[in-house]
Amino acid sequence: MPRASVADTLRAVNLVLLPLVARGLIVRRPPLVAGAEKLQLDRTAVRELQRLRRIYGPGPLRLALPRAVALILDPEDAKRVLAESPEPFRADSLEKRHALGHFQPYGVLASSGVPRDDRRAYNEQVLDTPAPVHCLADELLGKVVDEADTLLAVSEATGRLTWDDFMRHWFRMVRRVVFGDHAADDEEVTDLSGALRADGNWSYLKPKSRRKFERFEARLLHHLAKAEPGSLAGLMAQTPASPITVPHMQVPQWLFAFDPAGIATWRALVLLEGHPRQMERAVSEVADVDLRRPHELEFARACVLESLRLWPTTPGILRDTTEDTEWSTGTLPAGHGVVLFAPYLHRDDERLAFADRFEPSLWTGDHDPDAFPLVPFSAGPVVCPGRNLVLLLTSAMLGRLVQHHEYRLPARRHLDATEPMPAIYDPFRVTFAMRRRA
Ligand code: HEM
């Protein structure tokens, strides 16, 4: 199996792996995201992987590092790795186990073998994984619309929709969805989750904070004990669990993962602001829809999916091999790290005509989703079990934001539909001018 030279390994580490880790694998570090945007680092990373593919061929490429790691360069190989997870490609890779150990040591993503199967089944039941419209949609959508409306009232008064206001109401919605309305104001549980995730960014380089973790766990148990009807906590109380499930330790992943869902919704609004035709379509989709009632907004969902394709919130999908695996170019030994770099799979302009365009039609049934691996939610047996729930809530939020209001961005944050979309778009420094539509 091809192995990169020391010089090429150093380039791959500097241009692909280090920027990925520096921005924060578990929680984004805003100053570094701003720097990454300025330098458009993901464009450089994609170019570097294209260069390596030209030199070494499309098979997995081993790097000359003390920690055995291989880069996946071929879309078919990416599909294989995801389809054959978690055996022989285990999802709880070494780095991930250490990173997640800071705040969810018994979460499904940090598990393998029998505990993984048990916890995965539990997650799927509560998140109602296969259903495009979650079984609690009636209750959950009301919470989304409530929070969107309060946010819009605040923004209308000032004529500005800011990132901070958006995220404040986003996380209120998340706490109401996960724990119930009684937890709407508990910012501490969100802050603790954020602080533990920031520790997780350092993986095994940072000691675990027992005090913070215990405080976080106590808040979780306090809220879950109420089992409020119409929330995921209420559903958890009715869902059978075994002694190895550790139900409350599945929740940190949900809180964690609603953060990128907010980022994806926000960037979808940025995309629509820059693409008037698509904005018109998004507005007309919700014109006569009561967003509090269960619905499937196909176009709004496609816009969120496009936001995630252009700027994946999980840019690195990591695996470790549990046994030797055979490839057309040779054998990859057991214990090897495997890295799928989502921006390369989604935006390889040598392979994909749409790489740098905003193209919601990729997700609306006009295209064959199996033709190329677009994997914002991963794929295969480890695919995000929250995918449908996320798309329900994010599309409802996006739908509500555009239903009666219009938005403008200043030129420096505006995306021009006639230009290629940037490789990185920093969501944190965005403020929309907004008003109620005439
Ligand atoms: C935009 C938002 C989200 C994105 C892009 C996303 C994406 C992902 C990805 C890429 C994985 C990793 C799979 C792998 O390693 O192959 C994952 C795992 C997971 N996600 Fe999400 N996710 C999001 C939101 C959520 C939400 C809101 C929940 C729960 C309410 C959730 C629950 C989970 C769980 C439990 C796993 C672990 C699955 C396993 O290990 O089997 N996700 N997600």
Side-chain angles (χ1 to χ4, degrees):
M1 173 157 294
R3 193 183 173 94
S5 67
V6 172
D8 282 336
T9 296
L10 284 177
R11 283 179 63 101
V13 169
N14 284 333
L15 300 178
V16 183
L17 300 182
L18 266 184
L20 186 67
V21 175
R23 255 177 289 161
L25 276 179
I26 303 289
V27 66
R28 297 290 170 272
R29 301 177 171 116
L32 292 174
V33 175
E37 182 194 73
K38 207 166 276 168
L39 300 170
Q40 289 293 296
L41 289 182
D42 280 2
R43 181 101 56 215
T44 316
V46 171
R47 295 266 176 275
E48 179 59 15
L49 293 172
Q50 290 169 334
R51 192 185 73 87
L52 292 172
R53 181 176 62 194
R54 278 194 296 276
I55 299 175
Y56 295 97
L61 178 63
R62 297 168 70 180
L63 298 181
L65 289 171
R67 157 78 164 122
V69 173
L71 301 174
I72 297 294
L73 298 176
D74 185 82
E76 290 307 312
D77 289 347
K79 284 190 203 168
R80 172 186 170 185
V81 168
L82 297 176
E84 296 178 17
S85 299
E87 292 277 341
F89 300 104
R90 68 188 284 179
D92 56 332
S93 68
L94 181 69
E95 291 76 11
K96 232 193 271 176
R97 278 201 308 282
H98 282 285
L100 298 178
H102 285 269
F103 61 100
Q104 49 159 310
Y106 305 106
V108 58
L109 197 50
S111 313
S112 53
V114 174
R116 153 166 281 281
D117 295 344
D118 178 285
R119 292 165 189 165
R120 174 83 198 184
Y122 183 84
N123 271 274
E124 288 192 4
Q125 220 167 327
V126 178
L127 301 176
D128 202 6
T129 297
V133 178
H134 191 275
C135 56
L136 289 181
D138 246 330
E139 287 91 341
L140 303 186
L141 289 170
K143 300 172 199 284
V144 177
V145 175
D146 282 353
E147 291 303 328
D149 285 355
T150 323
L151 167 67
L152 287 165
V154 171
S155 307
E156 239 185 272
T158 59
R160 286 155 43 92
L161 174 62
T162 68
W163 165 255
D164 286 345
D165 287 342
F166 173 74
M167 271 326 243
R168 188 166 318 113
H169 287 281
W170 179 262
F171 274 121
R172 270 180 64 87
M173 179 275 284
V174 169
R175 291 188 293 269
R176 293 176 64 187
V177 163
V178 173
F179 300 120
D181 293 347
H182 75 272
D185 291 322
D186 184 6
E187 290 183 2
E188 187 191 359
V189 74
T190 306
D191 292 346
L192 282 165
S193 156
L196 287 162
R197 287 165 57 210
D199 291 351
N201 270 349
W202 293 97
S203 193
Y204 37 69
L205 299 178
K206 185 156 187 179
K208 298 194 172 67
S209 164
R210 182 128 292 281
R211 221 166 39 91
K212 246 184 285 178
F213 180 76
E214 282 172 1
R215 177 76 193 144
F216 179 53
E217 192 175 26
R219 297 305 304 156
L220 292 181
L221 290 169
H222 166 78
H223 290 309
L224 296 177
K226 296 195 192 304
E228 191 178 302
S231 71
L232 298 183
L235 211 49
M236 286 172 73
Q238 300 160 17
T239 306
S242 83
I244 50 173
T245 312
V246 201
H248 76 283
M249 271 295 118
Q250 307 313 309
V251 179
Q253 173 69 23
W254 308 348
L255 292 179
F256 155 21
F258 269 120
D259 182 5
I263 294 177
T265 311
W266 186 246
R267 285 187 180 135
L269 187 62
V270 170
L271 283 163
L272 288 176
E273 190 274 341
H275 293 77
R277 270 192 324 111
Q278 279 89 341
M279 177 63 101
E280 252 172 56
R281 187 160 165 200
V283 173
S284 72
E285 184 179 45
V286 290
D288 300 316
V289 178
D290 177 356
L291 292 169
R292 292 178 185 272
R293 309 283 312 141
H295 55 67
E296 253 187 281
L297 303 176
E298 191 192 32
F299 189 71
R301 286 179 186 223
C303 292
V304 174
L305 284 161
E306 260 306 80
S307 146
L308 287 165
R309 178 185 71 82
L310 289 165
W311 305 296
T313 51
T314 310
I317 300 181
L318 312 179
R319 295 288 186 265
D320 277 354
T321 52
T322 57
E323 58 189 58
D324 292 0
T325 51
E326 298 304 326
W327 307 74
S328 58
T329 50
T331 303
L332 194 63
H336 231 82
V338 174
V339 178
L340 275 69
F341 189 61
Y344 167 75
L345 295 170
H346 295 179
R347 303 199 55 182
D348 178 358
D349 56 357
E350 291 179 357
R351 207 169 43 87
L352 305 169
F354 55 78
D356 294 333
R357 289 201 308 264
F358 173 46
E359 198 65 71
S361 66
L362 286 172
W363 306 95
T364 51
D366 306 347
H367 282 260
D368 172 9
D370 289 331
F372 28 75
L374 302 179
V375 287
F377 287 97
S378 185
V382 184
V383 67
C384 173
R387 183 183 190 277
N388 275 325
L389 175 60
V390 170
L391 292 176
L392 176 73
L393 302 181
T394 54
S395 61
M397 175 63 86
L398 185 63
R400 191 59 167 182
L401 292 181
V402 301
Q403 199 169 29
H404 305 297
H405 294 81
E406 55 190 16
Y407 300 86
R408 272 289 153 263
L409 281 173
R412 69 200 146 73
R413 302 309 293 152
H414 170 78
L415 296 177
D416 186 335
T418 61
E419 298 285 325
M421 292 298 103
I424 294 180
Y425 187 90
D426 176 359
F428 305 119
R429 293 173 302 123
V430 172
T431 298
F432 292 92
M434 61 86 74
R435 62 179 183 193
R436 184 167 273 273
R437 197 172 297 108

